[in-house]
Amino acid sequence: MQGADQATAAAMDTHERNEKLAAQSPPLKDTAVPDDYQMAFLRLGFETIQPQVDPLPQTPSEIETPIQYMQESKLVSVEVWNLLIGDEKQSTFEKARLQGSTNIPPHQEWPQWQIAVGVAENNSPNNKQQAITFLVPPNVGKMRSGTKAMVELSSTGELSIARYALN
């Protein structure tokens, strides 16, 4: 009797397991024969592409690589003393333009830019404080006397330019 009960229990367990697996796997929805368009899509292929090989240059003179130079610029923290306005601002822009400065904006954008005068913050007592005149782009924000900015010092003859406001 016990053997028959065990065999019946094993058969029932197998039957329940098979029903769960059938319920978990979804039935195939589209079992119809594909139409002509589907068959054409399924049989599509790609054209074979032949690689194109370019010959390498024979001499180094045929290779034209531009020579790039790295330029280093110094950033200093500057405290703003005052701002140039009116004729003084215009004359500073004109002077920089005549000297060929590459930092100045186009003439029509001059009213949006500020020109500030300040001094680099140095902790050493032996260094003299020298005034720095620098441009303040509109994206840095409005400067006032006493504010601090991170200024990129330019080469001689050009205006320096503020890169970040520190206040």
Side-chain angles (χ1 to χ4, degrees):
M1 229 20 208
Q2 291 177 347
D5 286 340
Q6 289 177 352
T8 305
M12 288 178 62
D13 288 342
T14 305
H15 179 69
E16 287 176 3
R17 201 174 321 124
N18 288 341
E19 284 181 354
K20 285 182 184 178
L21 287 176
Q24 288 177 355
S25 63
L28 296 176
K29 294 183 180 181
D30 189 15
T31 57
V33 177
D35 61 0
D36 293 336
Y37 293 109
Q38 288 176 331
M39 288 303 291
F41 179 73
L42 292 173
R43 292 182 178 157
L44 271 177
F46 297 102
E47 295 178 17
T48 56
I49 299 174
Q50 298 298 326
Q52 296 177 355
V53 179
D54 294 331
L56 293 174
Q58 299 300 323
T59 61
S61 63
E62 292 179 23
I63 301 173
E64 295 179 18
T65 56
I67 298 174
Q68 296 179 355
Y69 296 102
M70 184 175 283
Q71 185 177 0
E72 179 183 359
S73 59
K74 184 177 180 184
L75 291 174
V76 293
S77 176
V78 174
E79 181 181 355
V80 176
W81 282 347
N82 63 349
L83 298 170
L84 303 181
I85 59 171
D87 292 337
E88 196 173 13
K89 177 180 174 181
Q90 292 298 325
S91 66
T92 305
F93 270 126
E94 284 296 328
K95 181 181 175 186
R97 184 185 64 80
L98 291 174
Q99 290 177 346
S101 178
T102 58
N103 289 342
I104 63 170
H107 189 289
Q108 56 271 27
E109 293 181 16
W110 287 2
Q112 288 86 23
W113 288 58
Q114 293 180 313
I115 298 180
V117 178
V119 65
E121 294 180 340
N122 259 346
N123 295 336
S124 61
N126 296 339
N127 289 345
K128 290 185 178 181
Q129 293 182 340
Q130 185 174 7
I132 300 171
T133 304
F134 59 95
L135 293 169
V136 181
N139 62 349
V140 172
K142 296 288 184 186
M143 291 283 167
R144 291 175 177 70
S145 181
T147 59
K148 295 179 182 171
M150 189 63 67
V151 175
E152 179 182 341
L153 297 178
S154 64
S155 59
T156 58
E158 291 197 22
L159 286 172
S160 299
I161 188 165
R163 294 298 178 191
Y164 310 101
L166 297 177
N167 289 5

